[in-house]
Amino acid sequence: MRALDRKLVRDLWSIKGQVLAIGLVIAGGVATFIMSVSVLDSLRVTQSVFYRDYRFADVFASLKRAPESLKAQIQAIPGVQHVETRVFAPVLLEVPGYPDPVSGQICSLPDHGEPLLNRVYLRQGRLTEPYRDDEVLVSEAFAEAHRLKPGDELGATIRGKKKRLRIVGVALSPEFIYQLQPGAVIPDFESYGILWMGRAALAAAFEMEGAFNTVALSLTADAREGEVIDRLEDILKRYGSLGAHGRKDQISHRYLSEEMRQLQKMATMFPIIFVGVASFLLNVVIGRLMATEREQVAILKAFGYGNGDIVAHYLKFVLLIVLIGVAGGIAAGVWLGQGLGRIYMDFYRFPFLLYQLRPAAVVTSVLVTVAAAFLATLYSILRAASLPPAQAMQPAAPARYRASLLEALGFGRRLAPPTKMILRSISRRPVKAFLTMIGVAFACAILIVGRFFSDATDYIVDIQFKLAKRDDLNVTFIEPTSERVLYSLRSLEGVRHVEPYRWVPVRLRHEHRSYRTAIRGVPEESTLYRLLDQDLRPVAIPEHGFLLTDYLAHLLGVRPGDTLTIEVLEGRRRTLEAPIVGLVSEWVGVTGYARLDSLNRLLGDGRTVSGAYLEIDPRLGRAIYAKLNQMPRVAGVSVREKGLRNFYETLAKQMLTFAFFNTLLACSIAFGVVYNSARIAFSERNRDLATLRVLGFTRAEIAYILLGEMALLVVAGIPAGFFIGHWLCAQMITGLQTDLFRVPLVIEPSSYSFAALVVLVSGVLSGLVIKRKLDRLDLVAVLKTKE
Amino acid sequence: MPSAPRPLSEPEKIFEARDVVKIYDMGEVQVHALRGIHLELYPGELVVLLGPSGSGKSTLLNILGGLDRPTSGQVLYRGQDLARASDRELTAYRRHHVGFVFQFYNLIPSLTARENVAAVTEIARNPMKPEDALALVGLADRLDHFPSQLSGGQQQRVAIARAIAKNPAVLLCDEPTGALDSATGIVVLEAIERVNQELGTTTALITHNADIAAMADRVIHLSDGRISFVERNAHKKRARQLHW
């Protein structure tokens, strides 16, 4: 090893605490980057392999009922490659040993051969045998939630008819990667399952023989999706079309895409913060190093080393620090990425996760960090290297100080000299002090971002599922049904209150914009499903006209007072004109609202309902579920509380992991910034402090001078961090506002205090490390040397 | 540390060092910096500790100043043994009884001349006003200058003002002129002389410059960790009469 390299290694060792602190920050940034990018790549690759191998369709449509003969007509649409007609049937399930209501959807599988599109991946067992009407496959998420395995039996009610079903296999499908009950926003694997059954058997049970109610298409490479969808809707119109859509509106695909967008944001935003902070730290540390190495640089130059040699030597020093951080970051990133991948697999049911770590991602992380580090340190290295040796051998000019702003304003007289030292040290290098404060602020901000999603989820759940929706049970019917069904619901023992609703698929049009959604008809006096305005006050539903979710009004570019064109997509398929009379504030989904009686009148359907909300005596819940299960028109029953609980259980695991990881990252920044700043302040001023000790100052008094400055910057950084955190959260959610859900910018006071607390604790810990150094100050040695 | 002196013998001694040994353990070698020093300092006298580098004079001064402890022996300050004092007691001792002047001034760069002195007077029990201390060393017109705005001699005089402003019982100066040219050095020595005469502060001054010894009441010669001999100046010179 060359002598200079040996010096390099020893110099590094001598500031190992700082190297570690900077390395941790770099590692945090690289780890976040590698983790997000690798998981993103993994999801993309896994998704595309799964889609390709299991032939995920390009276009989807659902309808009331069409004869199988229509298939040829669909096949003839230009651009269509394969057509797969299917029967989807809602089912009520009874899982042995599970008392709460469970509903699901049974999808048909061809009796001969594999499906052309949307094939199933068989995890366990076998496929159903042709024409067997008691064999089903169940989705893996559902099977896991109930510990079901091939050979187990389920009770099922299809169109009111009871059946025993035997599980022969456990399966996954590209169509149900995100498995969501229609109308729900959060997956609940216990209460809702996907099942597959032979086509003939399912059609017989669901009264769909020779017919289909769902169709999926794949397109040729040159097909125009929009045109195919228009032609398909045209064909299906007479058969009760509920609309056709491309992949991008397929619900599972959409949620997955949104998740990936979020991940993409994380892959850019967090690493930028970390690299920024690390660059600042390197700038400070190398700046100080070059100041103390002046004489050594001079000696090296006196011996004939060139400027280039000197610059290369110190850049190598920077490079080593960076590489230590990057290596740690890549290792941690891969580990965390695999962990995050597993967490994703809880929500997004892929049969496998093909973990991807592209070399390009690794190279990018190395290049970006090294470039940022060189940029941050080059100036002080060049300046020291270009000093003429004779000048460099002289000690640097003494530091210049002046009275601080506070003193200029006349507050000086009351301050003790130690406090003046703190203020003057800050005002001598305001930029450095500011950046230190900003570094602390970012640590605080990252903690706030970490808690934000959990706060926002809590808020959505509180508003949408506690304040707005207050039912115990939601009963849905197979199709719009006469209001008379409500009598039988009301007559059930333990049912306290029944509130019907109507759900009508529509296309809303305003000028050139249109949006496919549903209109929900609710009774005038609705207490179980309340509509709220922006200030969370209940909104009354007027007799005439519609209310819209505020975000839907934004999508359609309408305001209260404007008139909408409403194309009804079921029944008589009327087209209506109706005024918007108000807006409803909602965070999940977008819908139109009308008075139930007015809606029925407009549709010309008579007094019909699609479902009902029930308030029940909880002690009689089980008996009520059992009775509901026997009603032929009931398609599904869901328990609001139950769904929420399951969701939180799954989410809690994810949030805890995320929060833990996030706290570690933020601590690494807080510690890195505070420790490095204090460490450098210590090395710059240990002579002053030792002098004061000699003059009779106690340890606590000199610690005040050094650590007081740090404390001031940390305390100033916390409110700044609150602002930055709020701003970062706002940045995170731009682009995440979609018709599926909007993320409210809600940060709880507890999150602010948590962030502040973690930053303070990190600050105190780094302060303690420096305090130990202060306590060991060698008074005699310091006095014998010149600065 | 009690502030009331407890006389042990007559005349009162400020310091009494008995058989002071200091050994530095430098890993494989042991350095014997002091090999059994006996020494007494009396109120109001100006003593010069003279010796070549490595003779142990700085070690002795550090021990007298409570910056270091002897390996063995006793250092009695007004009857109290500094060799056995705790860290806390040594800090209080330095705070209330000793004034230090160093070769490299060791001023706090972020404090003005006045504030450098105030930093000490604010923690002392019976200090003089910082302005008075600075006037005593001839710097009444430089009160609000920062160290970077003062010459080396001026900085050293601020250091002297800082050392004496607490009205210490003893002033310890370690090569106070070591970093200065002779003209400036003499101005600094005049300041020390004035403090010694006007305030009666017992002063111990380390130097390797034999010419300076002429201004002392007593000159203690050190070599190789021992006191080789002590001479008393029958006719001590004024600082301004010195030259080197």
Side-chain angles (χ1 to χ4, degrees):
Chain A
M1 200 190 273
R2 291 176 56 212
L4 267 192
D5 291 334
R6 220 168 274 166
K7 165 182 178 322
L8 192 97
V9 172
R10 289 193 193 138
D11 286 351
L12 265 181
W13 185 248
S14 71
I15 56 164
K16 52 189 176 300
Q18 284 164 281
V19 171
L20 183 72
I22 299 174
L24 275 178
V25 176
I26 294 175
V30 172
T32 324
F33 180 75
I34 294 289
M35 175 190 79
S36 333
V37 167
S38 70
V39 170
L40 195 57
D41 288 340
S42 308
L43 287 178
R44 280 195 184 127
V45 169
T46 308
Q47 182 193 37
S48 82
V49 168
F50 193 33
Y51 278 6
R52 185 195 64 207
D53 292 354
Y54 289 82
R55 307 220 180 162
F56 187 48
D58 295 311
V59 171
F60 303 79
S62 48
L63 55 146
K64 204 166 171 188
R65 181 195 179 100
E68 188 62 21
S69 57
L70 209 63
K71 183 177 174 181
Q73 219 176 316
I74 297 169
Q75 181 76 66
I77 298 173
V80 170
Q81 193 179 29
H82 295 294
V83 179
E84 183 82 44
T85 61
R86 295 176 298 173
V87 174
F88 277 13
V91 60
L92 292 173
L93 296 169
E94 282 165 68
V95 181
Y98 187 81
D100 292 330
V102 181
S103 49
Q105 173 172 281
I106 309 186
C107 313
S108 67
L109 286 175
D111 287 306
H112 298 287
E114 289 234 34
L116 286 173
L117 299 172
N118 303 321
R119 291 181 172 174
V120 295
Y121 175 97
L122 202 59
R123 174 77 85 197
Q124 259 184 296
R126 58 168 172 84
L127 287 172
T128 52
E129 275 177 21
Y131 309 110
R132 285 294 295 257
D133 68 347
D134 61 345
E135 289 189 355
V136 285
L137 307 178
V138 295
S139 59
E140 187 185 52
F142 183 68
E144 275 176 10
H146 292 286
R147 297 165 200 273
L148 296 171
K149 54 186 187 309
D152 290 346
E153 290 203 346
L154 293 171
T157 310
I158 306 173
R159 268 199 196 265
K161 281 172 291 199
K162 290 239 169 208
K163 271 180 106 59
R164 292 301 298 168
L165 300 176
R166 204 157 58 80
I167 296 169
V168 296
V170 174
L172 297 118
S173 152
E175 223 176 339
F176 303 104
I177 291 171
Y178 193 70
Q179 184 181 308
L180 204 58
Q181 185 164 14
V185 284
I186 46 183
D188 177 0
F189 302 139
E190 264 184 25
S191 309
Y192 184 74
I194 300 289
L195 289 77
W196 289 268
M197 197 181 198
R199 169 86 176 257
L202 183 61
F206 198 56
E207 294 161 21
M208 274 283 171
E209 287 107 331
F212 65 93
N213 64 359
T214 311
V215 59
L217 316 178
S218 63
L219 303 181
T220 55
D222 57 347
R224 291 199 190 154
E225 192 186 271
E227 284 175 17
V228 174
I229 289 174
D230 287 346
R231 294 280 300 271
L232 180 63
E233 286 208 325
D234 219 39
I235 294 171
L236 298 179
K237 207 153 65 185
R238 277 163 295 157
Y239 303 94
S241 168
L242 297 171
H245 56 82
R247 251 187 206 185
K248 73 174 177 47
D249 288 322
Q250 203 263 347
I251 201 77
S252 157
H253 181 84
R254 268 207 73 177
Y255 271 94
L256 192 54
S257 310
E258 289 298 324
E259 190 70 51
M260 290 202 258
R261 279 213 308 181
Q262 217 164 314
L263 210 49
Q264 179 94 55
K265 286 218 156 184
M266 193 154 107
T268 45
M269 191 157 112
F270 274 44
I272 287 175
I273 296 175
F274 279 91
V275 169
V277 171
S279 304
F280 160 63
L281 294 180
L282 278 169
N283 173 285
V284 175
V285 170
I286 297 299
R288 174 62 192 163
L289 182 78
M290 296 322 293
T292 56
E293 300 255 303
R294 275 168 72 95
E295 286 176 47
Q296 302 188 32
V297 170
I299 291 163
L300 289 174
K301 287 178 76 171
F303 289 162
Y305 281 97
N307 286 0
D309 299 325
I310 306 279
V311 171
H313 173 69
Y314 288 105
L315 281 184
K316 233 192 263 180
F317 190 89
V318 174
L319 186 66
L320 267 180
I321 300 180
V322 171
L323 289 185
I324 290 171
V326 169
I330 290 173
V334 169
W335 181 70
L336 290 167
Q338 287 169 342
L340 184 64
R342 275 192 294 276
I343 288 176
Y344 271 124
M345 297 279 280
D346 284 343
F347 279 105
Y348 297 95
R349 308 303 297 218
F350 289 103
F352 41 77
L353 185 69
L354 303 169
Y355 186 75
Q356 303 288 312
L357 180 62
R358 280 181 304 134
V362 176
V363 171
T364 307
S365 69
V366 173
L367 287 185
V368 169
T369 344
V370 169
F374 279 2
L375 271 180
T377 53
L378 201 56
Y379 174 71
S380 43
I381 293 176
L382 279 178
R383 201 182 46 178
S386 57
L387 270 186
Q391 195 182 332
M393 281 209 213
Q394 301 292 320
R400 276 170 208 277
Y401 283 90
R402 56 194 164 80
S404 63
L405 184 64
L406 221 55
E407 293 166 78
L409 292 174
F411 291 100
R413 221 163 292 159
R414 286 188 218 149
L415 301 174
T419 306
K420 283 184 186 165
M421 288 174 73
I422 292 177
L423 293 178
R424 287 179 193 170
S425 161
I426 289 175
S427 66
R428 189 166 81 91
R429 298 217 206 125
V431 175
K432 191 174 137 188
F434 177 76
L435 288 177
T436 305
M437 186 201 79
I438 288 296
V440 171
F442 267 109
C444 184
I446 285 177
L447 285 161
I448 290 174
V449 173
R451 301 261 300 200
F452 162 62
F453 279 102
S454 162
D455 284 351
T457 311
D458 281 348
Y459 181 82
I460 293 180
V461 167
D462 271 351
I463 300 305
Q464 198 110 358
F465 299 100
K466 290 184 181 160
L467 201 60
K469 293 189 69 178
R470 319 171 84 172
D471 59 296
D472 297 315
L473 284 182
N474 176 8
V475 179
T476 50
F477 304 122
I478 287 168
E479 53 192 9
T481 302
S482 159
E483 206 181 64
R484 280 192 301 268
V485 73
L486 299 177
Y487 295 119
S488 39
L489 290 180
R490 285 194 181 108
S491 67
L492 293 176
E493 195 192 350
V495 172
R496 289 174 179 158
H497 183 56
V498 175
E499 245 173 51
Y501 62 85
R502 178 77 200 270
W503 179 264
V504 190
V506 294
R507 174 172 282 116
L508 302 177
R509 279 189 198 285
H510 176 69
E511 293 169 354
H512 62 285
R513 306 180 198 207
S514 75
Y515 189 85
R516 214 175 72 88
T517 175
I519 288 179
R520 183 183 277 271
V522 281
E524 188 182 357
E525 295 283 321
S526 182
T527 56
L528 299 183
Y529 192 105
R530 302 198 305 177
L531 305 177
L532 305 172
D533 68 9
Q534 274 186 326
D535 304 318
L536 304 180
R537 286 174 311 212
V539 182
I541 304 175
E543 192 182 350
H544 299 290
F546 290 79
L547 299 175
L548 285 189
T549 307
D550 44 10
Y551 190 76
L552 181 55
H554 161 76
L555 283 181
L556 290 169
V558 292
R559 278 183 301 186
D562 292 346
T563 300
L564 267 187
T565 306
I566 302 167
E567 294 171 23
V568 179
L569 297 177
E570 70 167 33
R572 293 160 211 266
R573 302 186 80 85
R574 288 185 174 175
T575 298
L576 315 162
E577 299 278 328
I580 307 298
V581 291
L583 300 182
V584 179
S585 176
E586 282 178 311
W587 299 104
V588 180
V590 294
T591 318
Y593 294 93
R595 277 256 293 267
L596 177 59
D597 45 359
S598 317
L599 183 64
N600 274 333
R601 212 165 29 245
L602 279 173
L603 296 173
D605 282 351
R607 298 157 85 86
T608 52
V609 297
S610 324
Y613 291 114
L614 271 56
E615 188 188 332
I616 60 165
D617 179 344
R619 286 167 302 177
L620 296 172
R622 305 264 150 93
I624 296 172
Y625 311 151
K627 296 241 174 64
L628 288 173
N629 254 343
Q630 289 162 3
M631 294 188 172
R633 290 183 176 280
V634 172
V637 179
S638 57
V639 186
R640 189 174 52 96
E641 283 292 337
K642 179 99 192 124
L644 273 182
R645 208 166 51 238
N646 288 341
F647 171 66
Y648 268 117
E649 274 166 19
T650 324
L651 196 69
K653 197 168 79 176
Q654 192 182 13
M655 288 294 180
L656 264 180
T657 317
F658 185 61
F660 172 71
F661 170 63
N662 204 269
T663 307
L664 273 188
L665 284 180
C667 287
S668 78
I669 286 196
F671 186 79
V673 170
V674 177
Y675 174 75
N676 265 305
S677 309
R679 180 70 187 73
I680 281 170
F682 172 75
S683 88
E684 283 172 347
R685 294 158 66 186
N686 58 7
R687 217 170 93 97
D688 299 357
L689 299 172
T691 303
L692 289 173
R693 282 280 286 135
V694 168
L695 296 176
F697 278 67
T698 61
R699 284 179 178 159
E701 282 162 343
I702 61 162
Y704 166 74
I705 293 170
L706 188 67
L707 300 178
E709 182 180 337
M710 289 302 116
L712 200 63
L713 296 177
V714 169
V715 168
I718 287 173
F722 289 172
F723 277 106
I724 297 176
H726 192 271
W727 180 78
L728 284 180
C729 292
Q731 295 304 303
M732 290 284 286
I733 58 174
T734 54
L736 293 182
Q737 310 300 61
T738 67
D739 45 347
L740 285 184
F741 54 83
R742 275 77 59 197
V743 181
L745 189 49
V746 176
I747 304 168
E748 291 294 323
S750 64
S751 297
Y752 285 117
S753 29
F754 173 76
L757 186 73
V758 171
V759 168
L760 281 178
V761 168
S762 316
V764 168
L765 287 181
S766 12
L768 286 178
V769 176
I770 297 296
K771 178 77 169 56
R772 273 186 42 174
K773 283 196 179 293
L774 277 178
D775 290 347
R776 291 190 201 152
L777 262 184
D778 184 345
L779 305 188
V780 176
V782 163
L783 297 176
K784 278 285 163 192
T785 53
K786 24 176 208 186
E787 165 64 342
Chain B
M1 183 108 328
S3 54
R6 184 165 54 88
L8 282 177
S9 55
E10 289 299 320
E12 187 200 4
K13 296 166 193 158
I14 297 265
F15 280 106
E16 185 172 7
R18 292 177 187 158
D19 200 19
V20 171
V21 173
K22 179 68 184 179
I23 301 168
Y24 290 109
D25 214 349
M26 316 286 276
E28 288 168 24
V29 288
Q30 289 193 327
V31 176
H32 292 255
L34 298 177
R35 300 166 183 262
I37 296 273
H38 293 275
L39 173 79
E40 279 135 20
L41 292 185
Y42 299 97
E45 69 171 342
L46 197 159
V47 173
V48 165
L49 297 168
L50 194 64
S53 53
S55 60
K57 53 190 191 313
S58 287
T59 307
L60 179 58
L61 197 79
N62 288 340
I63 289 173
L64 294 179
L67 291 174
D68 209 348
R69 288 191 190 86
T71 310
S72 66
Q74 275 188 314
V75 181
L76 299 174
Y77 168 76
R78 288 178 167 160
Q80 191 82 15
D81 192 357
L82 296 179
R84 269 146 208 87
S86 69
D87 262 11
R88 190 180 293 270
E89 287 168 331
L90 284 181
T91 299
Y93 164 65
R94 293 197 302 266
R95 190 169 190 145
H96 301 300
H97 303 279
V98 192
F100 277 103
V101 176
F102 310 105
Q103 180 177 2
F104 300 112
Y105 335 133
N106 291 74
L107 297 180
I108 309 298
S110 60
L111 298 179
T112 61
R114 189 209 310 259
E115 289 161 353
N116 260 286
V117 178
V120 169
T121 57
E122 285 178 5
I123 59 169
R125 273 194 206 127
N126 184 26
M128 57 174 90
K129 284 165 89 180
E131 294 78 6
D132 295 345
L134 285 162
L136 202 61
V137 297
L139 285 176
D141 56 344
R142 289 282 186 278
L143 294 177
D144 294 318
H145 287 60
F146 283 95
S148 59
Q149 299 164 322
L150 297 171
S151 72
Q154 288 171 331
Q155 289 187 49
Q156 191 60 300
R157 281 187 282 153
V158 173
I160 294 168
R162 180 176 67 177
I164 51 111
K166 70 170 79 156
N167 280 317
V170 57
L171 178 64
L172 302 175
C173 311
D174 189 350
E175 298 274 12
T177 58
L180 302 171
D181 60 65
S182 69
T184 316
I186 284 167
V187 175
V188 166
L189 290 175
E190 280 182 312
I192 291 172
E193 181 179 60
R194 191 170 166 198
V195 166
N196 175 251
Q197 286 174 355
E198 291 186 12
L199 304 177
T201 311
T202 307
T203 304
L205 195 154
I206 281 185
T207 183
H208 62 269
N209 183 345
D211 296 305
I212 292 176
M215 68 180 282
D217 293 308
R218 280 196 299 151
V219 183
I220 298 172
H221 293 261
L222 280 111
S223 71
D224 203 18
R226 290 192 180 91
I227 295 177
S228 44
F229 66 100
V230 180
E231 60 180 320
R232 187 169 288 275
N233 275 336
H235 306 284
K236 68 170 184 176
K237 285 186 181 171
R238 306 279 304 176
R240 92 168 77 88
Q241 296 170 300
L242 301 175
H243 58 87
W244 63 86

